[in-house]
Amino acid sequence: MCRWAAYLGAPIFLEDIVSRPAHSLIRQSQGAMRCLTPVNADGFGIAWYGERPEPGLYRDVMPAWSDPNLRSLVAQVRSGLFLAHVRASTGTATSRNNCHPFTAGRWSFMHNGQFGGYDGFRRHADVLIRDEFYPHRKGATDSEALFLVALGEGLDHDPKGAMERALGQLTALARLRGEAPHVRAACALSDGQRLHVLRYSSDDHAPSLYYRWSDTRQGWAVVSEPLETDEADWQEVPAGSFCTFDGQKVQITDFRPVSLSAAA
C-alpha cells in the first residue's frame, strides 16, 4: 500500500503538506502507521496546478526522504491544488512511469490500493482503455489503467459515474481472473478546479483516508494519515463514498461500482 496527500484551497507552499508537518508525507514514506506497509520507498511524485490548465509533474524512483531536489522544490513552489504520493509497489517494477500521480491533459490522478491478482488479467485490463487514451499508457500499473479507463468512461463530465464504471469493470476482471481481496482503493483526482476522492473496498479493509479544513490555511487537506498528532478534527472519509471538494464545501455521496454484468 502507498500513502498520499492532496490539497485544495488558498495557495500554500507544497512543503506545508509534503515535508514540514510532524507526520508529513515524507515521514510517512519512512514510517506509515495506518497500513501494513510502513515503508513506502518505491518512488514518489507530485502533480500541482499553477497558471496553466495542465498540471506540472515531478516523479522519481528514489525514496522520497532521500531526494534533496524534492525538498528544494516543495520549499519554493506554491499552489492552491496539488496531489502528492509515495509508493509501495504491489508487484510492478520500480520505474518513473509507474510512479503516481498520473496525468492526461488537465486531469491528475493517484491511487492507494490494489486489484487482487492483477498480473493475471493485466492484458484484459488494457483492452478496456479506449484507443484515444491508450497513448497515455506509459507504465504497467493497475492504477494507471484505472485512470485511463475512467477517462474513457466520461471523467470530464461525470467524475463519480466514470469512476464507478471504471472501478466496476476492473473489479469484475479481478473476480473473474484475479484473487481476493478483489479491490481496495483510495483515489484522488482533479481537473484543476475541484478535488475528488473516493474510498472503497470489496472487503472490510478500505485504505485509510482522512480530510480536514484548516482556517489558518483556508484549505482542505485529504490524506492517508493525519499530518499532526495534536489536530483532533481530522475526519475519516467513510468507506464506500465519493467526495467532491469545491471551494469551502465538500459533498459526500455513496460510491457504488458498476460491474460488467450490470453495465451490459
Side-chain angles (χ1 to χ4, degrees):
M1 294 291 189
C2 310
R3 302 283 84 180
W4 60 252
Y7 174 82
L8 171 70
I12 62 171
F13 288 108
L14 274 57
E15 68 176 0
D16 291 343
I17 301 292
V18 175
S19 63
R20 290 189 64 185
H23 195 52
S24 69
L25 191 62
I26 288 182
R27 289 186 181 273
Q28 291 177 40
S29 71
Q30 293 177 288
M33 299 176 359
R34 306 195 183 207
C35 62
L36 296 176
T37 309
V39 177
N40 298 269
D42 297 321
F44 66 87
I46 303 176
W48 70 95
Y49 292 88
E51 312 223 348
R52 294 177 173 171
E54 298 82 11
L57 183 65
Y58 178 58
R59 301 183 296 180
D60 210 337
V61 298
M62 298 173 65
W65 69 79
S66 68
D67 185 353
N69 294 321
L70 174 62
R71 289 187 180 273
S72 177
L73 185 149
V74 300
Q76 294 294 332
V77 174
R78 188 193 296 265
S79 173
L81 176 53
F82 59 89
L83 282 62
H85 187 280
V86 291
R87 182 173 183 249
S89 173
T90 55
T92 50
T94 300
S95 71
R96 188 175 285 114
N97 284 336
N98 285 338
C99 291
H100 308 223
F102 305 101
T103 63
R106 60 195 176 96
W107 282 97
S108 57
F109 175 90
M110 62 186 178
H111 168 231
N112 169 34
Q114 65 187 84
F115 291 92
Y118 178 67
D119 280 347
F121 61 89
R122 188 166 68 184
R123 182 175 68 84
H124 300 274
D126 275 11
V127 172
L128 299 176
I129 301 171
R130 295 193 181 181
D131 289 347
E132 63 190 287
F133 299 111
Y134 200 79
H136 295 287
R137 182 61 156 155
K138 305 298 185 182
T141 65
D142 51 0
S143 306
E144 185 185 49
L146 173 62
F147 174 42
L148 297 178
V149 173
L151 282 169
E153 290 294 334
L155 202 59
D156 271 334
H157 62 271
D158 182 15
K160 178 187 173 185
M163 289 303 303
E164 287 178 325
R165 291 185 288 274
L167 199 76
Q169 291 178 63
L170 288 173
T171 301
L173 280 176
R175 293 186 185 279
L176 181 65
R177 300 178 179 274
E179 59 190 37
H182 298 108
V183 58
R184 291 176 180 170
C187 303
L189 52 149
S190 180
D191 60 357
Q193 299 296 319
R194 295 176 295 174
L195 174 65
H196 308 280
V197 305
L198 68 89
R199 183 179 181 225
Y200 177 82
S201 69
S202 57
D203 59 11
D204 295 327
H205 302 287
S208 59
L209 198 59
Y210 301 84
Y211 67 99
R212 177 179 182 267
W213 168 263
S214 169
D215 287 329
T216 303
R217 295 191 181 109
Q218 286 293 294
W220 295 100
V222 188
V223 298
S224 296
E225 302 186 9
L227 301 175
E228 300 283 1
T229 56
D230 61 348
E231 294 172 341
D233 54 345
W234 287 98
Q235 300 182 64
E236 186 175 29
V237 174
S241 66
F242 187 92
C243 310
T244 296
F245 297 86
D246 188 1
Q248 296 187 21
K249 299 179 181 179
V250 57
Q251 181 182 33
I252 302 176
T253 56
D254 290 341
F255 182 80
R256 298 187 178 93
V258 179
S259 69
L260 283 171
S261 59

